[in-house]
């Protein structure tokens, strides 16, 4: 794996409080992965074998229904970590599909490493789990406490780099509204009937 990829991964782990021994253990099993747009890393129902550190690019996790509908679970972009904790904890297949939305450079890390950390109650595993829990709490509050217009505002404010990189269908799904509702909000914004700051 190129040195700069080592450095970026090491810097990320250092920010999370990992010690030198842990960082070396991670780098020893890390494998680089360069993927094109719309490449499926994990099929819904497939048992994951790896977790990922996303160096650059854009990935998308979504739930697929038998009727062909897609519900956006999460977006991941530069310097993000992708861990399916439900599968890891329950040793179960993934409940969602994971794919790239752009050409992406990732680092694969064996899920066995995270399973070992879980058994050992490793501090880094605890940190990653708490990080994910906080994100889920924020997402829950985001969905329950705000109107669709406010959700669009918050998403645009907090993730401006994503707005132009995902489709309206994906954005609407993430916001918990239909594409038609999103289109109506955008038309009202364009006409000046409403604005995001109100």
């Amino acid at each position: 794996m190129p040195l700069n990829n080592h450095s970026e991964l090491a810097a990320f782990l250092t920010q999370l409080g990992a010690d030198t021994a842990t960082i070396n253990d991670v780098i020893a099993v890390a494998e680089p992965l360069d993927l094109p747009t719309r490449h499926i890393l994990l099929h819904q129902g497939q048992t994951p074998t790896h977790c990922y550190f996303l160096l650059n690019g854009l990935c998308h996790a979504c739930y697929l229904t038998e009727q062909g509908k897609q519900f956006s679970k999460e977006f991941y972009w530069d310097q993000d970590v992708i861990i399916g904790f439900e599968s890891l904890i329950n040793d179960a297949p993934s409940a969602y599909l994971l794919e790239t939305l752009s050409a992406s450079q990732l680092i694969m890390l064996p899920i066995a490493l995270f399973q070992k950390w879980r058994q050992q109650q490793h501090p880094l595993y605890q940190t990653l789990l708490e990080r994910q829990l906080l994100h889920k709490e924020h997402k829950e509050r985001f969905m329950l406490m705000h109107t669709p217009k406010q959700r669009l505002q918050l998403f645009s404010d907090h993730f401006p780099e994503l707005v132009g990189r995902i489709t309206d269908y994906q954005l609407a799904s993430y916001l918990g509204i239909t594409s038609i509702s999103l289109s109506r909000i955008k038309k009202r914004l364009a006409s000046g009937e409403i604005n995001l700051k109100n």
Side-chain angles (χ1 to χ4, degrees), residues 71-109:
F71 293 94
S72 291
K73 174 184 181 293
E74 201 55 70
F75 297 102
Y76 306 91
W77 61 98
D78 307 351
Q79 308 296 300
D80 213 346
V81 63
I82 308 172
I83 303 172
F85 277 105
E86 183 180 9
S87 293
L88 192 158
I89 292 168
N90 294 327
D91 193 21
S94 174
Y96 57 83
L97 175 143
L98 177 65
E99 66 178 340
T100 62
L101 293 183
S102 71
S104 301
Q105 284 189 311
L106 305 99
I107 296 175
M108 294 194 305
L109 300 167

Side-chain angles (χ1 to χ4, degrees), residues 54-197:
L54 181 56
L55 289 162
N56 59 72
L58 180 62
C59 293
H60 178 224
C62 64
Y63 299 104
L64 305 174
T65 70
E66 292 181 359
Q67 294 74 34
K69 290 186 178 180
Q70 182 185 101
F71 293 94
S72 291
K73 174 184 181 293
E74 201 55 70
F75 297 102
Y76 306 91
W77 61 98
D78 307 351
Q79 308 296 300
D80 213 346
V81 63
I82 308 172
I83 303 172
F85 277 105
E86 183 180 9
S87 293
L88 192 158
I89 292 168
N90 294 327
D91 193 21
S94 174
Y96 57 83
L97 175 143
L98 177 65
E99 66 178 340
T100 62
L101 293 183
S102 71
S104 301
Q105 284 189 311
L106 305 99
I107 296 175
M108 294 194 305
L109 300 167
I111 199 168
L113 177 64
F114 295 84
Q115 290 168 334
K116 183 177 78 171
W117 286 347
R118 179 172 178 254
Q119 292 169 355
Q120 296 172 340
Q121 298 183 341
H122 194 287
L124 183 56
Y125 178 83
Q126 175 95 8
T127 299
L128 289 165
L129 191 60
E130 288 178 358
R131 188 173 182 263
Q132 182 73 0
L133 177 61
L134 285 173
H135 179 76
K136 294 297 183 186
E137 290 285 328
H138 293 157
K139 176 74 180 290
E140 182 180 88
R141 188 161 57 250
F142 170 80
M143 296 300 293
L144 294 175
M145 301 296 290
H146 302 288
T147 66
K149 188 195 80 168
Q150 289 169 333
R151 283 180 229 151
L152 178 59
Q153 175 184 334
L154 288 167
F155 189 91
S156 300
D157 288 348
H158 289 108
F159 311 117
E161 68 275 29
L162 276 185
V163 175
R165 298 172 70 183
I166 60 177
T167 66
D168 279 357
Y169 181 86
Q170 290 162 343
L171 176 57
S173 177
Y174 184 82
L175 296 176
I177 59 178
T178 65
S179 297
I180 293 172
S181 294
L182 178 61
S183 177
R184 284 175 181 156
I185 292 171
K186 286 190 166 187
K187 282 179 182 175
R188 293 176 70 193
L189 287 169
S191 69
E193 184 178 344
I194 60 171
N195 66 69
L196 286 179
K197 299 305 178 184

